[in-house]
Amino acid sequence: MAEYLSPGVYVEEFESGSKPLDGVSTSTAGFIGLAQRGAVEGLPLLITSPADFQRNFGSYLSESAFGSYRYLAYAVDQFFTNGGSRCYVMRVAPSDAQLATNVGSVSEKLSITTKNPGAWGNLVKVVITDASKAKTQIYEVTDKRYRVKNAGGFYAGDVVAFNAGGETQYNRIVSVQGNVIELADELSGNVVDEALLPTKVLSTCEFSLHVIYSDEVESFEKVSLNPEAPTYVEKVAGRSNLVNVRALVTSTDATHPFDSVAGIGTEGKVEFVLAGGTDGSVSGIAASDFMGEDRGPGRRTGIQAFIDNDVVSIMAIPGVTDANVQLSLVAHCENLGSRFAILDIPREKTKVADVMTHRNLFDSSYCALYNPWLSVFDPLDKRNIFVPPSGTIAGIYSRSDNSRGVQKAPANEVLRGVVGLDVQYNKGEQDILNPAGVNLIRSFTGQGIRVWGARTASSNTLWKYVNVRRLFIFLEESIKGGTNWVVFEPNNEQLWARVQRTIDAFLTRIWRDGALMGSSAGEAFYIDIGRSTMTQDDIDNGRLICVIGVAPVKPAEFVVFRITQKTGSE
């Protein structure tokens, strides 16, 4: 309650109606797989185009080196080709992949390693040049204390050079107070210079570090080996996206930092290329690499890295058909309840019995299986290759959501950029696989290649359609995110009425968009909140319980036209 202490007119705002509830995005995909470069722990990276992927994760991997683990880049390409607009990517690297380092090049003074493993690091070039960030002239001397014109840019611990008449004296700063600099040793000779154009100058000693990879250039100007200075090389280079830099020495004497790093007598510049980076091998890849480790917030790997991401709603690990990995992905989706997994079937499993063997490993409404693999053009080998369908299907999910809505089953959709199928299944084979929850991709004369199934891998018939499960994910996440304001509000009739109005307005809009069955909003959904859903014990324990029922639309999977012969007498 506001306090009114002084006479006057007070104008106050208050909220009395329902708060608008926005629907969450359902078209953002998450991919996990091997790539040339990119972080292997931390947060998944947002990618908005194939070019963006190549800038951050590199190009395509060769079949000879990585075999069936190389399909991440192709899946992301297919995702965008088929209508996807944004995705998050998490890189996995073999355990035997190595970082590139500067072994043998200034490595006794600076340790420079690539941010993440891979042979890409062997193309990183480092250039170190002599530099100085500040200079001034000396006005007055008192023992080892020097009053200067401007002490800006001078810090305790910095190495400085005093130049007069072509001679240079090196020293080290002990302290800086105002415009008075105290040095470790007294400068020799007459150092005072009050001329307008000084010939005697006291300047700081630093070096610049340039890191070059392809068309990426990172420049860290005028850094030092002084840990107390804001220009300390580890602090400044810490923002690099390419390398980690660690100083192995500090400026404890009056040696120029460039000379400390490059070696005394080196002319103003030293450059070298990092070496020793390797991509690893297929033998270094294990299921645990994809399943990931929970090392705490910001340090998770593999699937676990997506725990920190609450935007993704579609998940895939392209081409990885190891049962342990796929079951872990499904469990991840079930535990969070906010995303749906698209699973590939091993390419060699083409016969109906073999496909069923793999399908029988799963029973979840949070995943769907698709077969067969797809023929697409490979820019690396300049020929058509077969790739897993998960990336393409994720793009179709996104395209269907954006054009029709999440309530539309992502099926009977044309696959873009696909020129053929690894296996041509017929109707008889689909008669067996479709009821079992395997969604086939088929080619129809004059209609192109289409997704011809929309079932989850669940044995519960209430959740057998992909669009029904994804619609409920959409509703649940939208209501959860849009009603956060309710927490800690007084749990009374006024709050219950506001909550009901908020959800009613949201579900009415969803019904009008065609996502719910019924000729009226009353037939499409109901909302029950109040004394009928809560006991006094619930209220006393801080629980507000709202029961919501919705009637989702189901796809017309079997279209039947019954035709009979009409006789003239009828």
Side-chain angles (χ1 to χ4, degrees):
M1 189 92 180
E3 289 187 340
Y4 306 103
L5 303 178
S6 300
V9 177
Y10 298 85
V11 177
E12 301 171 350
E13 294 182 357
F14 69 98
E15 296 179 354
S16 60
S18 61
K19 293 193 175 186
L21 199 157
D22 289 330
V24 299
S25 170
T26 59
S27 59
T28 305
F31 294 103
I32 302 169
L34 268 65
Q36 280 188 336
R37 53 178 294 211
V40 294
E41 73 171 20
L43 297 174
L45 187 64
L46 174 64
I47 299 297
T48 55
S49 69
D52 194 15
F53 177 87
Q54 292 202 11
R55 279 192 299 270
N56 290 280
F57 292 97
S59 189
Y60 308 93
L61 299 178
S62 68
E63 183 177 12
S64 59
F66 294 103
S68 61
Y69 293 106
R70 69 188 183 109
Y71 294 111
L72 175 63
Y74 300 96
V76 172
D77 272 357
Q78 278 290 298
F79 172 75
F80 288 109
T81 299
N82 281 276
S85 55
R86 61 188 176 276
C87 65
Y88 285 83
V89 176
M90 190 67 200
R91 181 195 176 200
V92 170
S95 57
D96 56 351
Q98 299 293 323
L99 299 169
T101 66
N102 63 323
V103 175
S105 302
V106 306
S107 56
E108 294 182 0
K109 309 300 181 181
L110 286 180
S111 170
I112 304 176
T113 61
T114 49
K115 280 280 188 180
N116 41 74
W120 71 274
N122 299 332
L123 301 177
V124 174
K125 181 180 179 181
V126 178
V127 180
I128 300 175
T129 57
D130 189 1
S132 176
K133 69 177 181 293
K135 63 180 180 179
T136 187
Q137 60 197 100
I138 298 173
Y139 283 168
E140 185 181 343
V141 180
T142 306
D143 195 16
K144 299 178 183 178
R145 299 168 64 85
Y146 299 82
R147 184 172 66 85
V148 299
K149 181 178 180 181
N150 183 2
F154 291 81
Y155 301 96
D158 278 355
V159 175
V160 293
F162 180 73
N163 296 284
E167 294 184 1
T168 302
Q169 301 178 55
Y170 290 101
N171 217 313
R172 186 169 169 272
I173 298 177
V174 175
S175 66
V176 178
Q177 295 180 348
N179 281 338
V180 177
I181 297 174
E182 181 181 356
L183 300 180
D185 300 304
E186 188 174 352
L187 296 174
S188 62
N190 181 16
V191 298
V192 175
D193 187 348
E194 297 181 353
L196 186 61
L197 296 175
T199 58
K200 302 174 183 179
V201 177
L202 184 70
S203 58
T204 59
C205 298
E206 287 84 27
F207 60 93
S208 292
L209 183 69
H210 306 279
V211 183
I212 305 164
Y213 172 73
S214 185
D215 57 351
E216 293 182 59
V217 179
E218 297 179 341
S219 295
F220 308 104
E221 302 284 351
K222 301 169 185 175
V223 296
S224 73
L225 297 177
N226 178 15
E228 304 303 320
T231 56
Y232 184 46
V233 62
E234 288 190 14
K235 296 177 185 176
V236 177
R239 63 176 184 267
S240 171
N241 293 320
L242 296 172
V243 296
N244 290 317
V245 179
R246 187 164 60 92
L248 303 180
V249 293
T250 57
S251 54
T252 57
D253 55 22
T255 303
H256 194 301
F258 178 79
D259 291 338
S260 295
V261 172
I264 296 175
T266 304
E267 293 294 333
K269 178 180 179 181
V270 61
E271 58 182 61
F272 52 88
V273 177
L274 303 188
T278 64
D279 289 329
S281 60
V282 173
S283 60
I285 304 172
S288 57
D289 295 326
F290 295 94
M291 295 161 69
E293 295 181 45
D294 191 344
R295 303 171 183 170
R299 297 192 62 245
R300 298 182 174 99
T301 64
I303 295 172
Q304 300 299 319
F306 281 88
I307 293 175
D308 297 323
N309 184 299
D310 57 0
V311 179
V312 164
S313 56
I314 309 165
M315 291 285 294
I317 308 180
V320 179
T321 56
D322 184 290
N324 297 297
V325 176
Q326 291 187 324
L327 288 169
S328 179
L329 181 64
V330 172
H332 168 81
C333 294
E334 289 179 332
N335 290 336
L336 294 183
S338 61
R339 52 200 58 174
F340 190 86
I342 301 174
L343 305 181
D344 297 313
I345 291 175
R347 184 185 172 191
E348 66 273 10
K349 294 189 176 182
T350 56
K351 296 180 180 179
V352 171
D354 294 335
V355 171
M356 288 299 299
T357 300
H358 191 78
R359 183 265 171 271
N360 289 335
L361 297 171
F362 309 95
D363 186 1
S364 172
S365 65
Y366 284 87
C367 69
L369 294 99
Y370 290 84
N371 207 38
W373 286 36
L374 314 173
S375 178
V376 302
F377 181 73
D378 181 7
L380 183 65
D381 292 341
K382 310 299 182 187
R383 61 183 177 86
N384 290 339
I385 62 169
F386 290 102
V387 301
S390 53
T392 308
I393 299 301
I396 289 174
Y397 276 26
S398 180
R399 182 175 84 207
S400 178
D401 289 355
N402 291 330
S403 61
R404 298 288 301 277
V406 70
Q407 73 275 5
K408 162 69 171 65
N412 199 3
E413 298 278 351
V414 175
L415 278 64
R416 300 172 183 168
V418 176
V419 297
L421 300 173
D422 192 23
V423 180
Q424 295 281 357
Y425 288 100
N426 58 35
K427 182 180 181 301
E429 291 163 330
Q430 189 164 20
D431 286 344
I432 301 172
L433 294 174
N434 187 69
V438 177
N439 301 311
L440 294 184
I441 301 166
R442 296 181 61 188
S443 177
F444 298 95
T445 303
Q447 300 181 58
I449 298 173
R450 294 175 177 258
V451 184
W452 210 245
R455 296 204 175 194
T456 68
S458 176
S459 61
N460 186 342
T461 55
L462 288 174
W463 301 105
K464 69 179 177 179
Y465 292 116
V466 170
N467 64 301
V468 174
R469 167 45 72 198
R470 297 188 67 236
L471 173 64
F472 269 76
I473 291 174
F474 165 73
L475 295 176
E476 292 163 9
E477 290 301 302
S478 299
I479 291 172
K480 182 170 70 174
T483 56
N484 219 28
W485 59 270
V486 177
V487 181
F488 296 117
E489 289 290 308
N491 196 4
N492 54 24
E493 285 82 358
Q494 288 89 344
L495 179 65
W496 304 341
R498 289 188 69 190
V499 171
Q500 178 151 5
R501 288 196 299 270
T502 296
I503 299 176
D504 184 271
F506 172 67
L507 291 180
T508 298
R509 186 172 80 246
I510 300 301
W511 165 68
R512 286 175 176 162
D513 289 342
L516 303 178
M517 292 287 291
S519 57
S520 66
E523 293 179 358
F525 64 87
Y526 68 83
I527 305 166
D528 198 359
I529 185 173
R531 294 291 179 181
S532 61
T533 61
M534 290 175 280
T535 65
Q536 188 59 43
D537 180 68
D538 290 323
I539 296 173
D540 292 341
N541 284 284
R543 291 189 288 265
L544 185 153
I545 300 173
C546 179
V547 178
I548 304 170
V550 298
V553 293
K554 308 290 176 65
E557 188 178 19
F558 309 105
V559 180
V560 180
F561 295 100
R562 293 193 171 99
I563 302 175
T564 187
Q565 181 173 311
K566 182 180 182 300
T567 62
S569 60
E570 293 178 344

